[in-house]
């Protein structure tokens, strides 16, 4: 009599040799784990806090207020003809998603060493879950920006500030920010696994990075002969693109976009390769 029981699931774990880019089939097989880790990141981030997810709204609003007072009213820096509040909030919208994703992925190996040492699953799932969970924060901040923009337009009916057709391309720019933060975050995660100095350096690096990115000043204030070099900072063009798409003003050219996208792809591919190389034996040195 033939058995009606289905054959037992067998998982074969084989060592990989050399540099292999991505095993897409394996990542897809662990999509349920990805969903659980995304929820874990979101639920634990604001556990035992009073405001909870409202911190996603409070932090950019306070930062925008400080930037408006200090850089616009005191230092009198140009905002490219845009209302200072919308100028800074729009720039922070892109920057905050990059900075949060970079910070959460750069400590992946060390922070999850206990979990990695107990059970096998694709290690790349953890930093990917951080990238996805930070989209929730981005969505809350985006809604805040839309509300403030609507209030501004209602009080300035004659203003021409507003999004154009290029706003439809915003998800592509957001995807670039996700790829960039993942690539550089994986580099830092691999380096931090062996040298803890990089855990300190990552916080210092993100502070300095803010000032070399056109967030408190427009890209138009950078001398034209230097703008190509600024584009090698791959966050600069996405930040300026956010302002162009959502507010209608920004200094973005095809050359700057090509440099920025090329730098992002280089960071992503090299970051994944380095991470996969270090994940094989990092547990022995953590």
């Amino acid at each position: 009599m033939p058995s009606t029981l289905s054959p037992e699931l067998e998982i074969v774990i084989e060592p990989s040799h050399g540099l292999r880019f991505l095993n897409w089939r394996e990542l897809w097989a662990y999509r349920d784990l990805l969903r659980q880790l995304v929820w874990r990141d979101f639920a634990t981030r604001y556990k035992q806090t009073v405001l909870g997810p409202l911190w996603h709204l409070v932090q950019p609003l306070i930062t925008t207020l400080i930037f408006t007072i200090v850089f616009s009213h005191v230092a009198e820096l140009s905002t490219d003809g845009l209302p200072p509040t919308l100028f800074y909030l729009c720039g922070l919208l892109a920057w905050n998603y990059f900075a949060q994703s970079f910070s959460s992925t750069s400590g992946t190996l060390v922070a999850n060493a206990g979990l990695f040492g107990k059970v096998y699953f694709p290690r790349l799932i953890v930093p990917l879950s951080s990238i996805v969970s930070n989209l929730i924060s981005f969505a809350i901040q985006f809604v805040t920006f839309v509300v403030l923009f609507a209030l501004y337009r209602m009080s300035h009916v004659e203003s021409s500030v507003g999004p154009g057709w290029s706003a439809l391309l915003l998800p592509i720019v957001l995807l670039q920010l996700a790829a960039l933060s993942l690539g550089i975050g994986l580099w830092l995660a691999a380096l931090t696994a062996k040298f803890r100095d990089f855990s300190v350096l990552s916080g210092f690096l993100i502070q300095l990075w803010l000032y070399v990115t056109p967030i408190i000043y427009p890209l138009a204030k950078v001398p034209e002969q230097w703008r190509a070099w600024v584009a090698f900072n791959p966050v600069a063009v996405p930040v300026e693109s956010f302002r162009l798409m959502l507010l209608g003003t920004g200094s973005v050219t095809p050359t700057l976009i090509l440099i920025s996208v090329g730098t992002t792809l280089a960071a992503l591919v090299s970051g994944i390769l380095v991470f996969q190389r270090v994940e094989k034996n990092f547990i022995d040195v953590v």
Side-chain angles (χ1 to χ4, degrees):
M1 178 178 180
S3 174
T4 58
L5 297 176
S6 60
E8 294 184 358
L9 178 64
E10 182 179 3
I11 299 177
V12 179
I13 303 174
E14 298 178 333
S16 58
H17 302 283
L19 293 177
R20 186 179 57 177
F21 188 56
L22 279 178
N23 188 338
W24 298 100
R25 181 178 297 178
E26 188 179 47
L27 288 175
W28 177 251
Y30 283 87
R31 59 189 181 281
D32 288 338
L33 176 61
L34 175 65
R35 282 196 288 266
Q36 292 175 13
L37 290 176
V38 169
W39 173 247
R40 183 201 67 171
D41 288 346
F42 184 73
T44 58
R45 183 172 303 171
Y46 297 103
K47 189 177 182 181
Q48 296 183 332
T49 61
V50 176
L51 296 180
L54 286 179
W55 278 112
H56 293 303
L57 187 152
V58 173
Q59 289 176 328
L61 287 180
I62 293 178
T63 307
T64 299
L65 177 64
I66 298 298
F67 279 11
T68 301
I69 294 173
V70 174
F71 298 116
S72 179
H73 295 292
V74 177
E76 297 183 345
L77 294 181
S78 169
T79 57
D80 226 6
L82 296 171
T85 302
L86 294 179
F87 176 86
Y88 295 123
L89 189 58
C90 188
L92 287 171
L93 187 63
W95 172 258
N96 284 343
Y97 176 69
F98 167 76
Q100 290 170 0
S101 299
F102 167 77
S103 299
S104 54
T105 54
S106 61
T108 295
L109 291 178
V110 175
N112 296 278
L115 178 62
F116 290 160
K118 293 178 181 177
V119 61
Y120 172 78
F121 59 89
R123 304 323 189 201
L124 198 58
I125 288 285
V126 176
L128 281 175
S129 69
S130 299
I131 297 295
V132 176
S133 66
N134 283 321
L135 287 175
I136 301 173
S137 170
F138 175 83
I140 295 173
Q141 295 178 23
F142 185 77
V143 171
T144 306
F145 171 81
V146 171
V147 170
L148 288 182
F149 174 77
L151 292 175
Y152 171 80
R153 287 305 301 265
M154 284 191 291
S155 59
H156 298 77
V157 181
E158 73 287 352
S159 175
S160 61
V161 173
W165 65 268
S166 59
L168 297 174
L169 302 177
L170 197 70
I172 297 177
V173 182
L174 184 61
L175 181 62
Q176 182 187 351
L177 285 173
L180 177 66
S181 56
L182 178 63
I184 299 179
L186 291 179
W187 262 104
L188 261 295
L191 293 171
T192 304
K194 291 190 175 181
F195 308 101
R196 299 301 171 84
D197 306 70
F198 286 95
S199 62
V200 180
L201 178 64
S202 63
F204 181 57
L205 177 65
I206 205 68
Q207 291 180 15
L208 294 181
W209 205 333
L210 171 70
Y211 293 104
V212 297
T213 302
I215 295 172
I216 59 177
Y217 54 87
L219 187 58
K221 295 298 293 182
V222 177
E224 193 167 352
Q225 65 270 24
W226 292 358
R227 289 183 194 171
W229 294 104
V230 172
F232 281 102
N233 168 9
V235 193
V237 173
V239 167
E240 192 73 4
S241 297
F242 262 58
R243 291 198 184 106
L244 177 63
M245 294 175 177
L246 297 177
L247 299 176
T249 300
S251 303
V252 180
T253 66
T255 303
L256 297 181
I257 293 174
L258 285 175
I259 295 174
S260 178
V261 171
T263 309
T264 298
L265 290 176
L268 177 63
V269 173
S270 62
I272 292 175
L273 292 175
V274 170
F275 181 83
Q276 289 183 330
R277 186 176 183 84
V278 172
E279 72 170 12
K280 296 175 183 176
N281 54 11
F282 87 96
I283 203 68
D284 298 328
V285 296
V286 170

